Amino acid sequence: MLAIQTRGLTRRFDGRHGVTDLALEVPAGSVYGFLGPNGAGKTTTIRLLLALLREEAGEIRLFGEPLSWTRRAPLSEVGSMVETPSLYPHLSGRDNLEATRLLLDGETASIDEALALVGLTADAERRVREYSLGMRQRLGIALALMRRPRLLVLDEPTNGLDPAGIVELRALLLRLAGERGITIFLSSHLLSEVEQIASHVGVLHQGQLLFQGTQESLRRRHGDPLAIRCGDARAVCDSLAHLGEQPQLLDEGTVSVPAPRRADHEINRCLIERGHAIHAFGRRPHSLETLFFELTGQEART
Amino acid sequence: MSALVRALRAERIKLRHTLAAWMVPLAPGVILLLSLVQLGFAHVPPPGPTDPMAAWKHFCQGMFTLWLFLMLPLFITLQAALLAGLEHGHHQWKHLLALPVPRRTHFMAKLCMLMAMVAASTLLLAVATPLVGWVIMQLNPAQGLTGSPPWAWLVSRALAIVAAGALMALQGWVALRWQSFTVAVSVGTAGMVSGFLIGQSDRLGHWFPWSMPVQVFLRDGVHLWFVLVAGLVAGVAIAGFALWDCSRREYD
């Protein structure tokens, strides 16, 4: 069962990338990290998924139900927070939720339930203007939970949060996914965060989906590089080149072979036979960050 | 419960602790207070009529002239901008329009709330005017406000809220359509200033939205029925257009 499925989804803007021919497949129950550099089209995609923008071409299905600018019924299954939380700062946290509850014709109990879930019960009567950024972010999620959604769509939910706030939010999202089985679709710039909570990732670049699947499949596709820690890295590089490999000198004591042609044990044996001092030898898993930069052809700004 | 009723109840909550909510009693309150201070402590009797009923009408007319010429257009402009600003200011549209509620419901609720607030203020003025007249009589009997207040006259002039239908719908649309507070206030101010001039024209006064309300008693109410019907019809038409236009827009 797919929580989100898009086919040929396209929306362009004058002078800006939108998204082109997007084919998203988000399995129900997954935590899907939607990655892409600034301007890649992440927010456009999210706005399309929430019928906040008109689709130019293609179709969207939420839990199998078609969604469009004019056909919005599937939104009853969706809770959302786009960029910053939409809150009325002059109202209390409870009043903010009450306004949304009334619009949704929800039960009064859903307010206390949402407050408890995000840990804001004690601060419910305080005005939102007195809330910290982290509390506002949690209240924003509580608003999204008012519909008791099956799908939570979050656009950059960690924006502006300090490390403690990020940890809190991560724990909350994992709890929602684990205990309630809510599918979470989140875009984020923080690759390390996505790496920790997402079961699936999608990588968007210039409006096009470069990859989607589980994190494992992404790693499998790219293969982990061979990392060799040794006494004389330059000499090891020469030997590896002599063996027909394409080594990379990472520093004076480390050599990497991104895609070895020979078996690992064979390379190890050859290096030892040539008298190199090998301190450590093995595969080093790619970080999501490395894979992201490889996919998008970008380099980290140092 | 219908979506509109629910949206109106949500609007009522959003108005808590807002300037827009305070404006409802404050706007007519300023007019009432000014009249009280001016007439309650005047040392000379007014140059107007000595007949009590005529004195009451003179007094009420002064009150409503201030309200309909000056305060009402300003009040509608500010209220429309403040109501729409609640959503524009904190990027609420992306939350509201992603809810499984028909888009037009949110805009309809805003327009209804604007009309309800304007109606409440106008009715408050109509009801409080005789009370202020009574206080003035206690302070300054020379004003001649004796006998029963002209309730029928007051009620009929309070119908100016119907004549303001076009103005409310127009200002509501401008405030919802453009996110800038300045646009709504500029349009309202320009309309109000033009209304001062156009409103005095026998030929054009009853056609211009900003001067339609005051026509309920200008020139002895010769255009009363015209502005009531035109205000209502144009108000419904402009509100319909506003709902169509706002509902098809992609808000940030």
Side-chain angles (χ1 to χ4, degrees):
Chain A
M1 175 73 165
L2 292 174
I4 301 173
Q5 184 178 30
T6 69
R7 282 194 199 127
L9 187 62
T10 301
R11 172 65 199 255
R12 284 176 289 240
F13 300 96
D14 293 336
R16 277 194 292 153
H17 291 293
V19 290
T20 312
D21 201 20
L22 196 64
L24 279 176
E25 290 193 347
V26 179
S30 64
V31 177
Y32 189 105
F34 195 43
L35 308 172
N38 282 340
K42 300 188 299 293
T43 300
T44 300
T45 305
I46 284 178
R47 286 175 178 268
L48 284 164
L49 294 177
L50 298 171
L52 291 169
L53 291 179
R54 281 188 189 84
E55 62 285 355
E56 207 172 290
E59 63 167 349
I60 303 169
R61 283 178 182 272
L62 300 182
F63 298 102
E65 289 290 314
L67 171 92
S68 68
W69 176 260
T70 50
R71 192 172 173 156
R72 297 151 44 83
L75 287 176
S76 57
E77 307 273 14
V78 186
S80 63
M81 187 171 79
V82 182
E83 294 167 327
T84 50
S86 301
L87 303 169
Y88 301 99
H90 63 285
L91 296 179
S92 67
R94 183 179 294 281
D95 283 347
N96 269 277
L97 296 179
E98 175 65 6
T100 294
R101 183 195 73 79
L102 284 167
L103 282 167
L104 294 169
D105 202 14
E107 297 160 22
T108 315
S110 60
I111 294 178
D112 289 323
E113 193 181 306
L115 284 167
L117 257 172
V118 300
L120 283 176
T121 305
D123 299 292
E125 310 307 330
R126 283 172 62 194
R127 291 199 194 180
V128 168
R129 67 163 63 103
E130 297 166 13
Y131 279 21
S132 68
L133 206 58
M135 289 164 80
R136 287 178 191 220
Q137 214 75 358
R138 281 186 283 147
L139 187 62
I141 291 177
L143 271 176
L145 292 171
M146 289 295 292
R147 284 170 253 189
R148 295 189 172 125
R150 289 165 72 195
L151 168 66
L152 203 52
V153 176
L154 306 172
D155 187 16
E156 304 285 357
T158 50
N159 255 3
L161 292 184
D162 60 13
I166 291 173
V167 171
E168 257 178 38
L169 189 69
R170 186 200 310 152
L172 172 63
L173 295 180
L174 285 172
R175 205 163 68 240
L176 290 172
E179 292 172 11
R180 305 210 156 206
I182 297 174
T183 309
I184 296 175
F185 180 88
L186 83 155
S187 77
S188 179
H189 284 109
L190 298 180
L191 300 174
S192 58
E193 272 309 305
V194 171
E195 188 166 27
Q196 288 184 63
I197 65 170
S199 57
H200 292 68
V201 291
V203 180
L204 192 70
H205 187 49
Q206 296 185 341
Q208 294 192 314
L209 197 61
L210 300 180
F211 173 84
Q212 75 175 333
T214 59
Q215 284 206 49
E216 289 72 26
S217 65
L218 179 59
R219 292 205 165 85
R220 267 202 311 275
R221 186 172 118 165
H222 284 260
D224 292 333
L226 180 63
I228 304 165
R229 285 192 55 230
C230 48
D232 185 351
R234 287 182 192 281
V236 167
C237 263
D238 289 343
S239 295
L240 287 166
H242 191 72
L243 290 170
E245 300 291 349
Q246 291 181 316
Q248 291 174 352
L249 183 69
L250 296 185
D251 57 48
E252 288 305 311
T254 317
V255 176
S256 171
V257 187
R261 295 170 62 191
R262 293 160 186 253
D264 291 5
H265 68 272
E266 200 179 329
I267 294 172
N268 194 15
R269 185 174 52 77
C270 290
L271 291 176
I272 289 168
E273 280 176 2
R274 285 167 184 256
H276 294 295
I278 306 298
H279 304 312
F281 185 97
R283 296 278 175 167
R284 187 165 61 183
H286 275 302
S287 67
L288 187 55
E289 194 171 75
T290 314
L291 294 170
F292 174 81
F293 289 129
E294 266 186 35
L295 276 167
T296 57
Q298 294 191 319
E299 286 184 14
R301 284 189 288 266
T302 52
Chain B
M1 203 190 326
S2 83
L4 180 61
V5 174
R6 286 189 268 118
L8 284 170
R9 290 181 64 192
E11 285 297 321
R12 203 187 59 181
I13 287 179
K14 291 180 207 170
L15 282 169
R16 284 179 188 166
H17 320 295
T18 61
L19 175 62
W22 280 106
M23 287 284 287
V24 174
L26 274 179
V30 168
I31 304 266
L32 293 163
L33 188 67
L34 279 176
S35 299
L36 181 67
V37 171
Q38 188 192 7
L39 302 177
F41 301 99
H43 295 297
V44 288
T50 49
D51 164 43
M53 183 49 81
W56 266 113
K57 276 193 182 171
H58 183 75
F59 168 68
C60 295
Q61 192 148 332
M63 201 80 88
F64 268 75
T65 303
L66 266 180
W67 176 249
L68 296 177
F69 240 128
L70 178 70
M71 194 59 100
L72 187 70
L74 190 65
F75 180 60
I76 290 173
T77 299
L78 285 177
Q79 288 298 77
L82 289 171
L83 280 171
L86 280 175
E87 317 305 338
H88 293 319
H90 305 288
H91 304 285
Q92 288 289 348
W93 294 118
K94 64 182 193 276
H95 169 65
L96 292 176
L97 298 176
L99 296 174
V101 175
R103 278 191 191 86
R104 64 178 176 283
T105 306
H106 305 292
F107 304 110
M108 205 186 294
K110 286 281 175 206
L111 292 179
C112 289
M113 192 51 83
L114 172 64
M115 291 174 187
M117 293 172 102
V118 172
S121 290
T122 307
L123 290 174
L124 185 63
L125 182 76
V127 170
T129 293
L131 294 176
V132 171
W134 180 83
V135 175
I136 289 171
M137 269 308 289
Q138 308 310 306
L139 295 169
N140 190 0
Q143 294 297 328
L145 298 174
T146 52
S148 174
W151 287 109
W153 189 95
L154 280 168
V155 170
S156 67
R157 271 48 185 181
L159 286 175
I161 49 179
V162 180
L167 174 55
M168 288 189 280
L170 196 61
Q171 278 295 147
W173 171 64
V174 170
L176 289 169
R177 171 73 172 71
W178 283 277
Q179 301 203 7
S180 164
F181 193 83
T182 316
V183 173
V185 171
S186 301
V187 169
T189 309
M192 192 174 74
V193 172
S194 311
F196 277 130
L197 305 172
I198 298 173
Q200 295 169 54
S201 158
D202 187 34
R203 205 158 50 88
L204 299 174
H206 53 291
W207 288 100
F208 191 59
W210 279 266
S211 59
M212 281 163 81
V214 80
Q215 302 297 324
V216 295
F217 64 80
L218 276 190
R219 284 173 283 279
D220 292 327
V222 67
H223 295 302
L224 174 66
W225 285 104
F226 177 85
V227 291
L228 290 184
V229 173
L232 186 66
V233 172
V236 170
I238 296 170
F241 169 77
L243 293 182
W244 170 78
D245 183 53
C246 292
S247 301
R248 73 189 178 91
R249 274 181 59 75
E250 294 173 337
Y251 282 86
D252 285 335

